[in-house]
Amino acid sequence: MNRRVSKWFLLTIISSSIFLAVIDIFIVNVALPSIRKGINGSDADIQLVIALYLLGYAAFLITGGRAGDQFGKKKVFLLGMISFTLASFFCGISETAFQLNTARLLQGISAGFMIPQGISYIQVLFPDPIERIKAISIYGSIAGTASVIGQFLGGLLPDLHFFVAGWRLLFLINVPLGLASTLLAIRFLPSQKSMAKEKFDYLGILLLTLTLMALIYPMIRGRELGWPLWSRLSLAGSLVLLLLFIYDQKQKVSRQQFPLIDMKLFDFKDFNIALCAVLFYFMVQDSYFLLNVILIQTGFGISSTETGLFFVLQGLGFVAASLISIRLVPIYGKKVLQAGLLIMIIASGLHIVVFVSANISKIIAYPVLFIYGLGCGAVLPSLMTMALKSIPTKFAGAASGTYTTFQQTAIALGIGIIGGLFFYLAGENPSTITYLKAYRTAMLVNMLLLVLAGVCLMLLPEKKVGQRH
């Protein structure tokens, strides 16, 4: 590495990956109605805009981490960044829903390869534990900042029209950022030699990808088409594929090969309970945005820009609580997360009370959104730490990858199940009244899921984060 280049500058370069990956989730969330109009898409099409990105990311995240170890972090980082930039360009020039969602899947796969290199580089660039903690905090804060910026731009850009339709700017904005990050990475990022002797689990990758696609795609598309035979067969097939995946992974462990997911992780009861909490919480995470954005923009006719401002308040609450909660969790443990869930449940109830017509009182709505963000910020940053706290150090890396894969899959499930329920209840020709009925029901389901997440946390042993068995 060029010693004249500050490692903090290098941190900025590698953090561009998490910035782009996170901003592309939140920038889309707020702009879904504009995207649907731009591609003349259906309700299922806009659900897939979110879900396919997450599925691509989930399916290839662990593989992306291993690719960095085997082929070198710099090479894989560059491959992921270039692919992400190209996929963003194709998203921006898409003319049909099929083109856009294919590009979104490629975006997610690219993110799965570039994101793991960031954390790996931090381990190498910051050997001092104190500096490493600071670097990881900065990396995390960049992700939080990206979520707020994404919500703001997701509201603003669709209402702007320069050389192209505003919704296309949501994706095309990634192109100059991706190119700049690529050029800086080529010039300054140090190369890392291959360290891994593990072989890729190609069959595991294939089975996991097919399982996720066979589950999520028909769940979203099938409802819209009246549940044709192929959708029902696909859902049943996803269970068969899952069982084959589990069997294959266990066989690889018994033969001392290198499975995609180490099934020994599921021998830890606390980890299984925590994953249940993760499932319930993250099913709510993005379905919340889907429900509220469709209601506010399509149901109430409020502009994209004004909607974006609503959710900037939610994002600011999230960032504020995140900074506080990471200091409180080591002292009070799971109580901080339980308090956050309670805040989210109360705020969700307030959403039902406040969002009743286009004449939304901003004096009331802004604090409600901010409070909901506070609840999210108390839960999300430390949920992974809580899930991994009882995992032995030798399993930490595998558990982290498994957790994140499970997290992204849970978000996609939430989009499919909660979003599908919302659109089903809204009907084929929805009105403001039917949107409101569907919204209230779906938000009540989200509140129930948050309660279940809290119950799972109650079942975890009362032990401060950082302690291990």
Side-chain angles (χ1 to χ4, degrees):
M1 179 177 65
N2 187 342
R3 295 187 180 278
R4 292 175 296 177
V5 179
S6 167
K7 56 189 174 184
W8 299 104
F9 174 67
L10 296 177
L11 176 64
T12 303
I13 296 174
I14 59 178
S15 295
S16 64
S17 62
I18 192 70
F19 180 84
L20 286 171
V22 171
I23 203 173
D24 242 57
I25 295 174
F26 287 91
I27 202 171
V28 165
N29 282 341
V30 183
L32 289 173
S34 299
I35 295 172
R36 177 168 58 183
K37 183 178 179 181
I39 59 173
N40 193 29
S42 64
D43 293 336
D45 289 327
I46 62 168
Q47 287 175 270
L48 289 170
V49 167
I50 302 173
L52 288 178
Y53 177 87
L54 296 168
L55 289 180
Y57 180 68
F60 286 87
L61 175 71
I62 298 174
T63 303
R66 291 186 181 176
D69 291 336
Q70 187 157 352
F71 300 111
K73 297 176 181 60
K74 182 172 182 176
K75 289 180 182 178
V76 178
F77 180 88
L78 289 171
L79 173 65
M81 184 62 72
I82 292 169
S83 301
F84 188 90
T85 304
L86 285 173
S88 297
F89 175 74
F90 288 124
C91 285
I93 64 171
S94 295
E95 295 292 339
T96 66
F98 176 79
Q99 292 173 356
L100 176 59
N101 281 319
T102 300
R104 281 290 282 175
L105 177 63
L106 294 175
Q107 261 192 326
I109 293 172
S110 302
F113 278 93
M114 71 178 182
I115 293 299
Q117 315 319 317
I119 294 295
S120 296
Y121 259 114
I122 288 175
Q123 306 298 322
V124 174
L125 295 172
F126 299 91
D128 179 70
I130 296 177
E131 284 194 336
R132 185 183 303 155
I133 291 173
K134 182 178 179 181
I136 292 174
S137 297
I138 293 173
Y139 187 82
S141 67
I142 288 174
T145 302
S147 69
V148 178
I149 294 174
Q151 288 169 116
F152 174 71
L153 293 179
L156 176 65
L157 293 180
D159 286 341
L160 300 179
H161 299 279
F162 291 112
F163 301 104
V164 295
W167 72 268
R168 297 185 184 277
L169 297 174
L170 301 168
F171 306 105
L172 295 177
I173 195 174
N174 292 340
V175 175
L177 295 174
L179 288 174
S181 297
T182 299
L183 293 173
L184 288 172
I186 291 172
R187 175 67 180 85
F188 296 109
L189 269 190
S191 298
Q192 299 290 328
K193 294 181 180 180
S194 172
M195 297 182 296
K197 297 180 180 179
E198 300 180 11
K199 294 182 178 180
F200 282 115
D201 181 8
Y202 292 106
L203 180 58
I205 297 168
L206 177 63
L207 287 173
L208 178 61
T209 304
L210 290 176
T211 299
L212 296 178
M213 291 299 295
L215 174 64
I216 301 298
Y217 185 81
M219 189 178 294
I220 292 174
R221 186 67 75 186
R223 175 198 59 80
E224 191 173 68
L225 299 176
W227 300 108
L229 180 61
W230 69 263
S231 65
R232 287 173 280 164
L233 290 175
S234 181
L235 287 171
S238 68
L239 177 60
V240 176
L241 287 167
L242 176 61
L243 293 175
L244 284 173
F245 174 75
I246 294 171
Y247 175 79
D248 173 70
Q249 299 297 287
K250 287 183 175 180
Q251 287 297 303
K252 287 185 171 71
V253 171
S254 66
R255 294 194 297 262
Q256 296 185 326
Q257 295 176 332
F258 301 103
L260 187 66
I261 295 177
D262 192 338
M263 290 294 144
K264 291 181 181 177
L265 287 170
F266 300 101
D267 292 337
F268 298 95
K269 180 182 176 182
D270 293 352
F271 184 65
N272 293 330
I273 295 172
L275 285 184
C276 289
V278 170
L279 172 65
F280 297 132
Y281 175 81
F282 280 102
M283 283 183 68
V284 174
Q285 179 69 19
D286 264 36
S287 64
Y288 164 84
F289 288 103
L290 177 65
L291 302 178
N292 283 278
V293 166
I294 297 299
L295 176 70
I296 294 172
Q297 287 192 50
T298 308
F300 294 159
I302 294 174
S303 71
S304 177
T305 300
E306 190 171 348
T307 303
L309 291 175
F310 275 121
F311 291 103
V312 165
L313 267 294
Q314 192 266 358
L316 291 175
F318 172 81
V319 173
S322 298
L323 297 174
I324 298 171
S325 68
I326 57 176
R327 291 176 172 81
L328 295 179
V329 169
I331 302 172
Y332 298 104
K334 66 181 184 181
K335 290 185 177 65
V336 177
L337 283 75
Q338 291 171 316
L341 289 171
L342 179 60
I343 291 171
M344 291 177 69
I345 292 168
I346 294 172
S348 295
L350 292 174
H351 276 64
I352 295 174
V353 174
V354 172
F355 293 108
V356 293
S357 73
N359 299 316
I360 301 172
S361 171
K362 296 182 179 63
I363 296 176
I364 300 175
Y366 283 163
V368 168
L369 287 159
F370 184 79
I371 291 169
Y372 187 91
L374 288 176
C376 293
V379 178
L380 195 151
S382 299
L383 191 53
M384 181 174 182
T385 307
M386 191 66 60
L388 304 184
K389 68 178 182 179
S390 298
I391 297 294
T393 304
K394 66 178 180 178
F395 289 114
S400 176
T402 302
Y403 171 94
T404 309
T405 299
F406 201 82
Q407 168 189 316
Q408 301 302 320
T409 303
I411 297 174
L413 275 173
I415 293 296
I417 296 174
I418 310 302
L421 174 66
F422 172 76
F423 287 121
Y424 171 76
L425 294 174
E428 293 185 5
N429 298 298
S431 63
T432 301
I433 294 175
T434 58
Y435 269 133
L436 273 171
K437 289 181 179 178
Y439 174 78
R440 290 164 183 163
T441 301
M443 285 294 284
L444 286 171
V445 172
N446 273 359
M447 292 168 69
L448 174 61
L449 290 171
L450 293 173
V451 170
L452 292 174
V455 171
C456 291
L457 289 180
M458 288 177 61
L459 297 175
L460 289 174
E462 188 66 63
K463 189 172 65 169
K464 303 299 183 290
V465 174
Q467 295 177 322
R468 296 187 181 273
H469 288 312

